[in-house]
Amino acid sequence: GHAKIIGVLLDGGAEINARNHDGETALIRAAEKGEAKTIKVLLEREANINAQDKNGKTALARATEKNHTEAVQLLKRAGA
């Protein structure tokens, strides 16, 4: 839920597709939490929509599992 902060970090050179120890990108985490504003920022900045975590799950899979309808719709409209 930190869309503005993510924008600032990306403007400062942060790697948009960086991964944590579970192989999750910011987009995957935002999708799992249903953070639509954050998803929009990441998609506008061309985050890898097809990135997979260490278990092979994408942002769309995570959003679907958690029943985050708005996140699922955003991701599908973006080509997931």
Side-chain angles (χ1 to χ4, degrees), residues 9-62:
L9 291 171
L10 293 173
D11 288 343
E15 171 55 45
I16 194 165
N17 294 307
R19 295 172 181 273
N20 67 12
H21 62 279
D22 290 323
E24 300 167 325
T25 63
L27 183 60
I28 291 171
R29 294 292 299 150
E32 180 177 54
K33 293 178 178 252
E35 296 292 342
K37 288 180 184 179
T38 302
I39 292 168
K40 286 178 187 176
V41 168
L42 291 165
L43 291 175
E44 287 170 359
R45 302 290 191 105
E46 300 182 12
N48 182 354
I49 199 166
N50 296 310
Q52 298 177 358
D53 65 16
K54 70 178 185 179
N55 296 314
K57 293 187 179 184
T58 63
L60 180 60
R62 292 282 192 89

